[in-house]
Amino acid sequence: MEQTLTIEALSYGSAGIAHAGDGKTIFVKQGVPGDVVRVAIDEDKPRFARGHILEVLQDGPARIQTPCPYATACGGCPWQHIAYETQLEAKRENITAQLVRIGGINSKQADNLVEACRASKQQMSYRNKIEMAVGRDKAGRLALGFRRQDSHELIAVDRCPLATRHLERAPKALRGALRFLAGGNEHTTDDNPLGLYRVGVRSSERTGSTEIALWTKPGVFPRAAAARTLSSTLKATSIVRVLAYEGKQRSIKGVEVLAGKGFWQETLARFTYRISAPSFFQVNTAQAEQLISLVIEGLDITETSHVADLYSGAGTFTLPLADRAGEVIAVESASSSVRDLRRNAETAGVWVDVRGGDSARELAHMGHLDALVVDPPRAGLTEAAIAGIAQAQPARLAYVSCEPATWARDVARLADYGYTLTRVTPVDLFPQTYHCELVSIFSR
């Protein structure tokens, strides 16, 4: 079934939103507001439908040429064909819509609470990290690249224009080096040569640090050969092997240093962070500094403040907080991040009470807090965490989120415990995608 439609808005995803003649909502892949398109319906549900564009009959004013030749194949940046100002507006609108639909706040109030999205000075060449999957091409050779959108299909790319200039051509360089390393294993039936299933690369334009991380299954591995083969690739300052089984619930069995320092370094808000390969760190350094500024500004911290930082990672917010507050407690469950945070605090010369474990459980033992920072995973806060926040009674709460839906749910739950949302600032850490970080401030 085909229809001619006008795209009205962008969804939280890669699709544009249109409406059929009978009012049914239709999500159209790669649609841009203002487009007039001929659409084939792929999935027709009672309340909505999904389709793809057969032909763009008239370009919307926000449709532009994609700067990346892989944009329509790779699933990493589905908004490259959309003008940047329109991306920023859509990100703010999506957050406002979730606040109304899930957070239970009326539309006028939500519109007043959510500020304009903070733009990234660099819309391309901003990522300090790229991660690539490993497989085989049709000729049986090792393939290295990204996954096609909504698919497990591997797209072998030569470069990634979203990455920093030092990393942009890393896919091609690493593919060649790893094919050479695979050597005699190239024509086996193993889809993950050398037990390799993932390659991560980080590079800092501020420190000159570059780390290659090879994620492999535990087992025999040619460590010396890997070090020799990769040492000149990208002028890496560190090459490590992360031993872990593939899967979402993977546990890290260990990290082997193959060459160099064994860690990556980045400078953020005057602090130098030492980051291990398994540890999380924001991929857009300049925009991460905006997150820090918004958190510090929103919490009104003094030198006598008792502050906690939950889901702290390697200390993105912890170190700037410790530089200003009287006492800071940081809680993180990932062991590599806990170790990194302790080292980073020591290097920075700030004192932090670092606790490894579950944030909700540790929160119950903290007593009264003056201020609190939470930066949870996409699933948001647990009921136990929210109950712990109510028990600790911080006067101010900064909630950093990358998932508007679970954040909006938590806005409503926090309101039940007397916490009022006072400000929301979207920060665009991920240009060319629909993803966005936000910093929200609550008062008790």
Side-chain angles (χ1 to χ4, degrees):
M1 181 172 64
E2 296 181 11
Q3 296 190 39
T4 298
L5 302 169
T6 299
I7 307 298
E8 302 160 14
L10 292 168
S11 68
Y12 183 70
S14 61
I17 299 172
H19 288 89
D22 60 1
K24 179 182 283 190
T25 300
I26 302 179
F27 297 96
V28 181
K29 289 181 181 178
Q30 300 294 308
V32 178
D35 279 353
V36 179
V37 290
R38 188 164 60 88
V39 174
I41 302 301
D42 303 313
E43 181 183 14
D44 196 2
K45 300 283 188 179
R47 298 181 62 184
F48 68 91
R50 300 186 189 278
H52 68 275
I53 296 174
L54 294 172
E55 182 183 4
V56 178
L57 302 174
Q58 180 180 319
D59 286 349
R63 181 175 283 276
I64 62 172
Q65 290 293 319
T66 59
C68 175
Y70 306 103
T72 58
C74 168
C77 37
W79 277 12
Q80 275 199 44
H81 60 302
I82 302 170
Y84 190 54
E85 285 301 318
T86 301
Q87 293 183 31
L88 294 176
E89 292 167 4
K91 291 181 183 191
R92 180 188 180 275
E93 288 170 5
N94 283 331
I95 290 169
T96 304
Q98 299 287 30
L99 198 53
V100 173
R101 187 172 66 85
I102 301 174
I105 292 178
N106 68 64
S107 58
K108 183 177 180 180
Q109 185 183 4
D111 192 56
N112 289 332
L113 283 170
V114 183
E115 299 178 347
C117 188
R118 299 281 182 96
S120 176
K121 289 182 179 179
Q122 289 182 285
Q123 289 100 56
M124 305 294 287
S125 303
Y126 67 85
R127 287 189 67 94
N128 60 40
K129 180 184 182 182
I130 57 175
E131 288 188 339
M132 294 161 284
V134 179
R136 296 280 191 172
D137 64 15
K138 293 180 179 179
R141 301 173 301 175
L142 181 145
L144 186 69
F146 306 118
R147 299 294 183 188
R148 186 182 293 276
Q149 188 175 339
D150 302 322
S151 170
H152 293 293
E153 182 185 351
L154 189 65
I155 305 297
V157 304
D158 287 344
R159 62 189 183 93
C160 176
L162 284 196
T164 60
R165 287 180 175 83
H166 186 63
L167 285 185
E168 181 176 352
R169 299 191 181 276
K172 183 177 182 179
L174 287 171
R175 183 169 64 244
L178 290 171
R179 278 181 178 173
F180 177 81
L181 180 62
N185 296 314
E186 249 188 339
H187 298 289
T188 70
T189 57
D190 184 3
D191 287 335
N192 290 316
L194 311 170
L196 185 66
Y197 61 87
R198 174 178 162 191
V199 178
V201 196
R202 282 177 166 136
S203 186
S204 168
E205 294 186 332
R206 298 181 177 187
T207 68
S209 178
T210 298
E211 180 174 76
I212 301 170
L214 307 176
W215 289 68
T216 79
K217 304 170 187 175
V220 177
F221 188 81
R223 300 176 185 85
R228 286 195 304 270
T229 302
L230 295 171
S231 284
S232 61
T233 305
L234 308 179
K235 297 181 180 179
T237 55
S238 175
I239 303 171
V240 299
R241 177 195 181 200
V242 182
L243 285 74
Y245 290 104
E246 193 171 5
K248 291 184 178 180
Q249 302 302 319
R250 62 179 178 269
S251 61
I252 308 299
K253 305 301 180 184
V255 177
E256 296 177 346
V257 179
L258 304 181
K261 296 180 177 180
F263 56 86
W264 177 70
Q265 282 185 303
E266 179 64 295
T267 300
L268 185 65
R270 298 186 299 105
F271 295 98
T272 297
Y273 292 79
R274 173 174 163 174
I275 307 297
S276 302
S279 297
F280 171 79
F281 198 78
Q282 294 288 3
V283 300
N284 189 329
T285 301
Q287 289 295 84
E289 289 181 326
Q290 292 214 45
L291 297 180
I292 293 170
S293 296
L294 289 164
V295 166
I296 297 295
E297 175 190 328
L299 290 181
D300 193 23
I301 294 168
T302 70
E303 59 184 15
T304 61
S305 296
H306 180 202
V307 184
D309 181 14
L310 306 187
Y311 317 94
S312 63
T316 300
F317 300 109
T318 312
L319 302 192
L321 289 169
D323 195 42
R324 293 164 174 79
E327 182 180 6
V328 174
I329 302 170
V331 184
E332 171 58 44
S333 60
S335 58
S336 65
S337 293
V338 171
R339 290 190 293 270
D340 289 344
L341 175 51
R342 287 180 173 141
R343 281 193 297 262
N344 291 334
E346 182 178 357
T347 301
V350 296
W351 186 87
V352 179
D353 179 0
V354 181
R355 303 182 185 182
D358 178 75
S359 289
R361 185 171 61 248
E362 292 296 329
L363 185 58
H365 303 295
M366 289 182 190
H368 173 73
L369 296 170
D370 296 308
L372 175 64
V373 181
V374 295
D375 185 8
R378 290 185 179 278
L381 295 172
T382 63
E383 289 281 5
I386 290 180
I389 291 170
Q391 182 179 344
Q393 297 185 336
R396 307 277 286 178
L397 166 66
Y399 187 151
V400 183
S401 175
C402 62
E403 179 47 67
T406 56
W407 165 80
R409 176 204 66 198
D410 292 343
V411 169
R413 293 157 79 190
L414 286 163
D416 292 338
Y417 286 95
Y419 281 89
T420 301
L421 180 62
T422 62
R423 187 177 70 194
V424 187
T425 310
V427 181
D428 190 17
L429 269 76
F430 315 103
Q432 319 306 337
T433 82
Y434 55 86
H435 297 292
C436 184
E437 293 275 336
L438 64 87
V439 176
S440 53
I441 304 299
F442 296 77
S443 64
R444 178 175 169 271

